[in-house]
Amino acid sequence: MTKRASITNSILVVILSVLPLVRASIDDSSLTRSTWSWLVIIFGALIIFFGLNYKRVQQKYVYFFLGSTSLITLSALIGLHRISSVALVYSFLTLLLITATISSSAKKQAIYIALTYIACTSLYAQWGAAQFILQHDLGLIKIGESVLNINTSGVASFYIHDQKFIRSYGPFAHANILGGVLAVAILLLTRVTIKTKLFTYSLFASLYIGLLATFSRTAILSAILIGIYIALREKKRIIILSMLILIALFSPLLVGRSTDSRDVAAHDRLEGLIWAKDMATPRTLIRGLGLGNYEKALSAQLESNSIPHFAWDIAPVHSVPIFLVMEFGIFLAAIIFLTIIYFIYKHNAWILFTILPALFFDHYFVTQIGALAWLASCTIILSRVY
């Protein structure tokens, strides 16, 4: 690997490693000064990346960027509401990151970046596990860590009897996001060969412990599906055994999480789906609400129908496919779905279907810039090292 390639790959890895600290969501109406500062720094790093890497940004990558930009522009033109400035910045930055990852993912570079990603997410896993053990944040609030303690309003938690347990967040904005990103990292680790087996098993253990500490049921289901894949295709029995032992150790807490009478996650998801169905008029399904407008439209819908709700109920519908249809419209969303399916078919990357639980029953993989960038980047790297 040349010196320039090493520098550009390092820039890309650094950008992705700090993205979880950027509290940017596609439906945010405003961003904090801290978030804007992070975004400016990331845009500056991307300018340096493309300046050093311009020879490797092939014409087809430019076509991808222009095609995706055209799709977003078309959505803005036909959408029922005007695209928000935050959503525009979010989309542009995400497309630049995906284009950067594609242009840096030749076979050798892809393996290097994959190993760096896995090491980075292993640190996230340990960060989250430490939060769960201590039952509070690590005091890194100034760089973007969420405030975590038993008195934090809306903190992701569960009860066993009267004992409250805070779930792990790592550097992310929610426990479910950390769980989903760790599931993707486990997926990537199944395809990367590391000479030292003990180190490989240590990474698997670290990622699985961090994932279990999030108590994200969709992420845990994805991890189990990945484990089944490993058992059937890779025949790495020690990894399967380790996973089963870890799940057994966490089982009392997992059972407590699943039987918590105060847990309203399932109720909120079902209620959100009902509200999305009520909003899905023929006009909305054809034209879409416009990128970044779901929460605004949902708030208007609930208020106009005098439906009682809490402030935290105003959130994206917990399903990526439904969310994309609602914001882009069924025809533009179909283009996105078909493109993804074609990519998976072309690269024989059917293992990506193991993360469907997180995609079907949550929204963060499209609404949170950190989660989307990690998923897209790891998917591209996965296609190179497969």
Side-chain angles (χ1 to χ4, degrees):
M1 188 185 300
T2 65
K3 184 177 181 181
R4 176 172 292 188
S6 298
I7 293 172
T8 54
N9 288 341
S10 298
I11 291 173
L12 181 61
V13 169
V14 169
I15 291 173
L16 284 162
S17 66
V18 302
L19 270 178
L21 299 170
V22 181
R23 298 295 188 256
S25 173
I26 197 170
D27 273 18
D28 278 347
S29 57
S30 61
L31 297 176
T32 64
R33 180 181 298 180
S34 174
T35 298
W36 275 117
S37 299
W38 275 119
L39 291 176
V40 170
I41 292 171
I42 291 170
F43 270 126
L46 281 171
I47 290 172
I48 296 173
F49 173 90
F50 285 110
L52 294 173
N53 209 42
Y54 66 93
K55 290 184 179 180
R56 289 164 60 192
V57 182
Q58 300 176 20
Q59 194 173 39
K60 61 181 179 181
Y61 306 149
V62 177
Y63 288 155
F64 163 79
F65 181 80
L66 293 177
S68 301
T69 304
S70 300
L71 186 71
I72 293 172
T73 304
L74 184 58
S75 171
L77 292 174
I78 68 174
L80 294 175
H81 304 282
R82 186 176 65 180
I83 186 172
S84 69
S85 58
V86 173
L88 197 60
V89 171
Y90 173 103
S91 304
F92 183 66
L93 178 59
T94 303
L95 290 176
L96 280 176
L97 282 167
I98 294 173
T99 305
T101 305
I102 295 173
S103 62
S104 294
S105 54
K107 179 74 173 180
K108 291 183 179 179
Q109 287 81 8
I111 294 174
Y112 163 79
I113 297 175
L115 291 172
T116 311
Y117 283 4
I118 292 165
C120 191
T121 48
S122 178
L123 292 176
Y124 294 163
Q126 295 170 57
W127 187 340
Q131 290 170 339
F132 178 71
I133 292 169
L134 298 173
Q135 285 295 287
H136 58 72
D137 57 69
L138 302 188
L140 303 174
I141 311 303
K142 288 186 178 180
I143 66 169
E145 184 186 26
S146 299
V147 177
L148 302 176
N149 57 66
I150 59 173
N151 298 316
T152 303
S153 177
V155 67
S157 60
F158 62 95
Y159 286 84
I160 297 180
H161 302 301
D162 293 326
Q163 178 66 45
K164 183 177 183 178
F165 291 91
I166 297 172
R167 297 159 58 192
S168 63
Y169 278 52
F172 292 90
H174 195 275
N176 288 348
I177 307 175
L178 174 61
V181 168
L182 292 180
V184 173
I186 292 170
L187 187 64
L188 191 58
L189 185 54
T190 64
R191 305 309 307 160
V192 176
T193 301
I194 301 175
K195 291 183 179 179
T196 307
K197 289 186 177 181
L198 180 59
F199 185 53
T200 303
Y201 300 149
S202 299
L203 285 172
F204 268 113
S206 172
L207 295 172
Y208 269 113
I209 289 172
L211 187 150
L212 289 170
T214 68
F215 294 90
S216 169
R217 285 168 288 205
T218 56
I220 291 173
L221 179 56
S222 291
I224 291 173
L225 292 176
I226 295 169
I228 293 172
Y229 167 84
I230 295 172
L232 296 178
R233 295 290 301 273
E234 304 298 321
K235 304 191 185 304
K236 297 177 180 178
R237 294 182 179 85
I238 189 170
I239 294 176
I240 305 302
L241 180 61
S242 301
M243 183 185 72
L244 293 175
I245 291 173
L246 289 173
I247 291 176
L249 290 173
F250 274 79
S251 59
L253 293 171
L254 292 170
V255 171
R257 156 84 164 121
S258 300
T259 57
D260 181 9
S261 60
R262 307 182 202 191
D263 184 15
V264 295
H267 172 268
D268 288 348
R269 278 167 168 72
L270 181 59
E271 192 172 54
L273 288 172
I274 293 172
W275 290 342
K277 180 180 70 66
D278 294 339
M279 293 167 61
T281 63
R283 188 162 171 258
T284 300
L285 290 175
I286 292 173
R287 296 179 57 184
L289 294 169
L291 201 59
N293 287 297
Y294 185 87
E295 290 188 18
K296 185 191 302 181
L298 175 60
S299 180
Q301 169 83 1
L302 297 180
E303 290 177 9
S304 64
N305 290 281
S306 301
I307 298 174
H309 60 279
F310 297 101
W312 56 80
D313 289 327
I314 307 300
V317 61
H318 283 71
S319 175
V320 167
I322 295 175
F323 180 81
L324 290 177
V325 169
M326 293 298 292
E327 292 226 332
F328 281 94
I330 195 166
F331 295 110
L332 294 184
I335 294 174
I336 297 173
F337 298 148
L338 290 173
T339 301
I340 293 171
I341 292 172
Y342 172 74
F343 177 89
I344 292 173
Y345 171 77
K346 180 180 179 181
H347 296 283
N348 195 30
W350 301 107
I351 189 176
L352 289 168
F353 278 82
T354 56
I355 62 169
L356 283 181
L359 293 173
F360 276 30
F361 300 108
D362 222 318
H363 58 75
Y364 55 80
F365 270 134
V366 290
T367 57
Q368 296 288 325
I369 190 169
L372 176 57
W374 273 98
L375 175 61
S377 298
C378 288
T379 299
I380 293 165
I381 297 302
L382 182 71
S383 70
R384 298 295 194 270
V385 299
Y386 208 88

